[in-house]
Amino acid sequence: MEFILRKLARCIYITFFFIIFFSSKIVYSGEVTMPTSLTTDTTDFVLLSSSGVTPSISGYSGTLLVSATASAGNIKITNTTNINSANGYCGYNDNTSTPVQCTGSSLTEVGFRGTQANINNALATLSFKGDGSTGTTITVSVTPTGNNYNPANGHYYQLVASSSVSWATAKTAAEASTYEGLTGYLVTVTSESENNFLKSKISTNTWIGASDNSTYTSTSYSAGQPTEGTWQWVSGPENGKTFHCQVEVLNGDNDVKAPAASNECSVATGYSYEDWKSGEPNDHPGVGGGDEDCAHLYGNGSGWNDLPCDDVGVHAYIIEYGGTAGESATVSGLTTLSINSTESDDYNVFDDKELVGIVEGQSESAKRFIYSSTYPVLERMEWYRTTKKNDNIKFQDLGIDIDITNKDTYPYAKLLDAYLLKGDVNKEQKLSNKNIEKFISELPLSQYLKNEFGMVPRKWKIWSSGYFKKGKIKLKSGKVNQEFDSDALTLGMDKIIRKNTLFGIAIRLQDEDTDVGQSGTQIKSDAKSATIYSSWHKNSSTFIDSLIGYGYIENDLTRVVQANPSNPLTGNRGVKQYFTSIKFNKIRDKDNFTSLLFGRFDYGLSKLESFSELGNTHALRFEEQNLKNKSISIGALTKYKKKIKKGYFLPYGRIEFFENLTPDSEAKASYISDPNTTYYYTVKEDYSNSLKLELGFDLNLIDSWYFSSSIRRLIKNNKDYENEFAIKVSKPF
């Protein structure tokens, strides 16, 4: 009776274990719905649902792995809510519109994981952009990923429980099993992650597909070489791979195990992982005196062990599915996309987001060039207003050691070469009052002022301003982002005339590289500008600052077309710029505080010259384009002056409100191969007003160093904002 109860209890345990493990196992009989045709073009993505049939899956439960693969062209999804990327696939994460784990610019396959409902939400936004090919296919594949799925390797595992099963029976049964189109095999364990995954699923001794019995191993042994101790995986894709080597030396009644010589046994490359329990494998004689030639997992998680292949104390085995060459666990929907036309009736060349990006990139860089030409001059005049002098930065024969043979690297070198040394590397390499005065006196503007007004620029004060800047512009949804890095130098010269007027001339050089998107589209800009300016004060509290300037930009453009990414289009476009600014200032000094109220009007006109691209059949000709930049602003500045041991410490705060009055601008382009058809794109401003907040300090050490630092926040339309941290160091000479 006691024996019967023990037997019954054992059966109940095994049955319970089987139910627990497979309670999450799902029988899949799902379907994929796909359209059969689609009208596409080569410049923009078209929703597959526009065919009248929305891609979807049905009949699935649990977590799924879905991949969409196009035989040509590009695909993407836009709804990424509650889905996650899949290991080994280019795909999307929850709430992330940019795919991850991707290489190259051509997105022909995406993969993601989620529930059926979330997958269908994503598939509803599945879009395709052709490359002009016909007969393109898109395949949507569904792979169930339940509790028996290992995401680390993409394999499936089935635990089979039995009251008693031999290793050979388990191996035969496993190899006769199939799952979702995959052929099974007795599990092979080739990594720690896989081993841990399996240990978390079992609670009883479980056979695995390893043996050192020559009946199952595939090694051909030479005379004198042992078979015992040469452990191999003997099932599945790893069949014949040796992972453990040892020899047996008989010593009386004891077995002594030792490492095998290299000529006797060697571990296969990449298959060195093993998790034997301490002292195992020991080939201890089993029941009936048989050798221990087959491996199993201990149910308590303590590692692997060798047992006789017919041991009755093993009650389960694991079938592994996946990894076999030519097999995949998919239920697929297949559609052939008939490319009816490369251009639909409402086709516009500016549907290409990278083309829009390079057009808007030129607009943004033009605005930055005007701003960077204006702002240093306004800062110079602000210094004059607050200090009542114009001698804060002087060179006084300051020698600067610059390798002008590499003049294309730094604007400083360019300035020396182009303006002071005029290409002669043998000339004195110095930025000095003398050299700069000589250069400025030779300018046509200086000659005009001398001849008409008798103004000779001698004994004028020299100042400079330079920066290196890196930034990113995140544009509205549906547009590609821009990243830029820029370096610039402004060199100015001014003089106080008529006791109440500061008059000056400034020259600026600037280089900038802008990356549009991530496929290689780029703008390389080389800009020059000249500005004349004046600061006039009616009395000690009222100042009017004004400037007018002219600039020229040379843009070297590279545009990648997805239909022909290996052969980018190139072009060179010149930009003429005219700009002016006028600023009204009201200053009040009380004790150690200086308060400034100001209002400013800025205007700039950028005339983009016409040009034609070169490179392939997608080349465009762009017509002239005018970009106007207008804004008004009002603001206030408060500065406190505190005397310290060797100078002054001046903390300050600034607030400024901008109203953007810039009108829209229209870009026009036509294919060089079809000059009679013109396409239009409107460049719109992304904000109407902004608020700038700034906190900072100046540290002015008498006859020594000058330090300035600030933190700025620019708030656009009361929601978007930019942060900036600045620091400046200079020294008078």
Side-chain angles (χ1 to χ4, degrees):
M1 185 64 173
E2 183 180 350
F3 171 78
I4 295 175
L5 291 174
R6 286 200 303 268
K7 191 79 171 177
L8 180 61
R10 183 177 179 182
C11 291
I12 293 173
Y13 165 77
I14 292 172
T15 303
F16 177 76
F17 173 76
F18 181 84
I19 292 173
I20 290 295
F21 188 83
F22 284 101
S23 61
S24 62
K25 187 178 187 308
I26 304 161
V27 177
Y28 296 96
S29 57
E31 296 181 354
V32 177
T33 300
M34 290 281 286
T36 58
S37 65
L38 185 72
T39 300
T40 68
D41 60 58
T42 60
T43 61
D44 199 10
F45 285 92
V46 177
L47 285 167
L48 268 65
S49 60
S50 66
S51 66
V53 178
T54 300
S56 64
I57 60 176
S58 59
Y60 295 94
S61 303
T63 303
L64 309 169
L65 167 63
V66 173
S67 65
T69 306
S71 61
N74 289 264
I75 57 177
K76 71 174 184 179
I77 64 172
T78 55
N79 188 344
T80 60
T81 304
N82 294 326
I83 62 173
N84 292 288
S85 62
N87 186 41
Y89 287 87
C90 172
Y92 301 83
N93 289 321
D94 181 16
N95 298 321
T96 303
S97 59
T98 303
V100 296
Q101 305 184 87
C102 305
T103 58
S105 59
S106 182
L107 208 62
T108 58
E109 181 184 52
V110 296
F112 39 89
R113 298 179 64 204
T115 64
Q116 178 174 285
N118 295 328
I119 292 294
N120 280 334
N121 290 335
L123 290 177
T125 65
L126 182 63
S127 305
F128 173 75
K129 180 170 68 175
D131 62 355
S133 305
T134 58
T136 301
T137 61
I138 293 181
T139 303
V140 173
S141 300
V142 184
T143 304
T145 60
N147 290 341
N148 60 339
Y149 174 76
N150 183 6
N153 59 9
H155 293 187
Y156 299 83
Y157 300 84
Q158 178 184 357
L159 180 69
V160 181
S162 174
S163 60
S164 178
V165 59
S166 69
W167 183 90
T169 299
K171 182 175 182 294
T172 300
E175 293 171 352
S177 301
T178 60
Y179 177 74
E180 296 291 343
L182 301 175
T183 302
Y185 52 92
L186 195 57
V187 64
T188 59
V189 191
T190 59
S191 69
E192 182 178 10
S193 64
E194 185 179 20
N195 192 53
N196 291 337
F197 176 84
L198 296 173
K199 289 196 295 183
S200 69
K201 303 296 184 183
I202 68 172
S203 59
T204 188
N205 294 346
T206 304
W207 290 121
I208 61 177
S211 176
D212 68 343
N213 189 315
S214 60
T215 302
Y216 306 107
T217 57
S218 60
T219 302
S220 298
Y221 298 98
S222 303
Q225 293 182 339
T227 61
E228 188 68 42
T230 301
W231 283 88
Q232 292 185 348
W233 298 113
V234 295
S235 61
E238 288 77 30
N239 183 28
K241 301 297 185 182
T242 301
F243 66 90
H244 179 84
C245 293
Q246 67 183 36
V247 297
E248 181 180 28
V249 181
L250 297 179
N251 183 14
D253 294 333
N254 299 317
D255 298 336
V256 179
K257 304 297 179 178
S262 60
N263 64 338
E264 298 174 334
C265 175
S266 60
V267 174
T269 303
Y271 290 91
S272 60
Y273 180 76
E274 53 188 340
D275 186 33
W276 296 105
K277 185 178 179 180
S278 178
E280 304 294 344
N282 60 9
D283 199 35
H284 191 280
V287 179
D291 291 335
E292 295 184 326
D293 292 336
C294 294
H296 75 93
L297 297 172
Y298 273 120
N300 60 10
S302 59
W304 306 352
N305 179 46
D306 58 337
L307 283 177
C309 296
D310 57 355
D311 193 286
V312 296
V314 180
H315 307 299
Y317 61 93
I318 297 176
I319 307 174
E320 184 174 358
Y321 304 90
T324 302
E327 292 187 349
S328 60
T330 59
V331 180
S332 301
L334 183 66
T335 182
T336 299
L337 299 176
S338 302
I339 309 300
N340 299 326
S341 175
T342 59
E343 298 183 6
S344 57
D345 293 338
D346 59 349
Y347 172 78
N348 191 322
V349 66
F350 289 105
D351 292 337
D352 184 343
K353 299 299 186 294
E354 296 247 332
L355 176 58
V356 170
I358 202 170
V359 170
E360 295 204 344
Q362 294 174 73
S363 173
E364 291 294 326
S365 66
K367 289 191 291 185
R368 284 196 297 273
F369 287 135
I370 288 179
Y371 176 82
S372 63
S373 295
T374 302
Y375 195 73
V377 175
L378 293 174
E379 279 193 324
R380 170 63 177 178
M381 288 187 285
E382 185 171 303
W383 173 273
Y384 168 67
R385 290 194 308 273
T386 56
T387 62
K388 310 296 191 299
K389 56 184 181 180
N390 69 325
D391 60 352
N392 63 307
I393 303 175
K394 299 182 292 184
F395 283 96
Q396 301 292 358
D397 295 319
L398 171 64
I400 300 181
D401 185 14
I402 298 177
D403 181 13
I404 64 170
T405 60
N406 191 24
K407 60 188 179 185
D408 292 332
T409 304
Y410 302 105
Y412 298 93
K414 284 187 170 183
L415 185 70
L416 283 170
D417 182 57
Y419 296 132
L420 303 183
L421 308 181
K422 299 188 173 97
D424 187 353
V425 297
N426 296 316
K427 287 189 178 181
E428 183 183 16
Q429 299 182 43
K430 284 187 177 182
L431 275 174
S432 66
N433 283 342
K434 181 179 178 181
N435 285 341
I436 297 172
E437 285 182 4
K438 183 176 183 298
F439 155 65
I440 293 186
S441 67
E442 295 175 352
L443 292 174
L445 176 62
S446 300
Q447 293 294 319
Y448 175 78
L449 294 174
K450 177 182 178 182
N451 296 333
E452 297 295 328
F453 302 98
M455 298 173 57
V456 180
R458 293 176 179 172
K459 306 299 181 182
W460 289 27
K461 304 302 180 181
I462 310 297
W463 62 274
S464 69
S465 175
Y467 75 77
F468 299 89
K469 189 174 184 179
K470 188 175 183 67
K472 183 174 184 178
I473 301 175
K474 299 188 71 173
L475 299 175
K476 296 178 180 178
S477 176
K479 298 182 179 180
V480 293
N481 295 331
Q482 303 169 22
E483 295 185 11
F484 65 90
D485 58 82
S486 177
D487 52 64
L489 175 67
T490 300
L491 183 65
M493 190 177 197
D494 50 39
K495 184 178 183 181
I496 298 176
I497 58 177
R498 301 175 184 175
K499 297 183 179 181
N500 64 346
T501 302
L502 178 76
F503 182 85
I505 306 169
I507 298 169
R508 185 170 182 84
L509 295 179
Q510 185 166 343
D511 291 333
E512 184 173 280
D513 292 343
T514 302
D515 293 323
V516 180
Q518 299 180 338
S519 61
T521 298
Q522 190 177 62
I523 307 170
K524 289 183 172 292
S525 305
D526 187 357
K528 304 177 180 67
S529 68
T531 304
I532 59 175
Y533 61 92
S534 75
S535 182
W536 174 83
H537 62 92
K538 179 180 180 181
N539 48 52
S540 61
S541 63
T542 303
F543 287 75
I544 299 177
D545 300 332
S546 60
L547 63 86
I548 185 170
Y550 170 80
Y552 189 79
I553 307 172
E554 292 183 2
N555 286 328
D556 289 327
L557 307 171
T558 301
R559 182 167 68 93
V560 175
V561 182
Q562 295 301 325
N564 192 359
S566 61
N567 188 20
L569 298 164
T570 60
N572 184 274
R573 190 176 204 179
V575 183
K576 297 177 181 178
Q577 292 192 307
Y578 309 88
F579 52 91
T580 186
S581 179
I582 184 169
K583 185 177 181 182
F584 299 88
N585 309 273
K586 191 72 173 180
I587 300 176
R588 182 181 179 185
D589 293 318
K590 185 175 181 180
D591 298 328
N592 292 327
F593 286 91
T594 297
S595 301
L596 171 66
L597 298 176
F598 59 87
R600 192 170 86 238
F601 171 77
D602 294 281
Y603 176 82
L605 173 63
S606 300
K607 299 180 73 67
L608 282 68
E609 300 172 350
S610 61
F611 82 106
S612 297
E613 295 178 317
L614 302 173
N616 56 56
T617 57
H618 298 278
L620 299 171
R621 183 185 184 279
F622 291 82
E623 298 182 17
E624 287 186 1
Q625 181 184 353
N626 291 333
L627 299 171
K628 297 179 181 179
N629 306 111
K630 293 190 293 183
S631 68
I632 58 174
S633 66
I634 56 174
L637 169 70
T638 299
K639 181 176 292 188
Y640 176 76
K641 185 176 183 181
K642 179 178 177 60
K643 186 171 177 57
I644 57 177
K645 186 175 181 180
K646 294 185 178 181
Y648 295 93
F649 176 70
L650 299 94
Y652 68 88
R654 184 198 303 263
I655 183 171
E656 189 169 3
F657 176 80
F658 297 85
E659 184 68 25
N660 188 5
L661 305 176
T662 299
D664 296 341
S665 175
E666 192 170 62
K668 303 176 183 179
S670 59
Y671 283 109
I672 294 177
S673 59
D674 181 20
N676 296 321
T677 304
T678 303
Y679 302 95
Y680 302 86
Y681 176 77
T682 301
V683 179
K684 297 181 177 292
E685 288 297 297
D686 60 352
Y687 69 97
S688 59
N689 58 75
S690 60
L691 179 68
K692 182 169 74 173
L693 305 174
E694 181 178 352
L695 293 174
F697 70 88
D698 298 333
L699 182 61
N700 188 9
L701 303 180
I702 300 173
D703 297 326
S704 186
W705 294 93
Y706 168 78
F707 301 89
S708 178
S709 181
S710 64
I711 299 175
R712 302 167 186 166
R713 167 167 285 196
L714 184 67
I715 306 171
K716 298 180 178 179
N717 287 351
N718 297 319
K719 57 180 182 179
D720 298 331
Y721 62 87
E722 299 175 359
N723 291 329
E724 181 181 336
F725 173 75
I727 186 168
K728 186 190 298 181
V729 181
S730 60
K731 188 179 187 301
F733 294 87

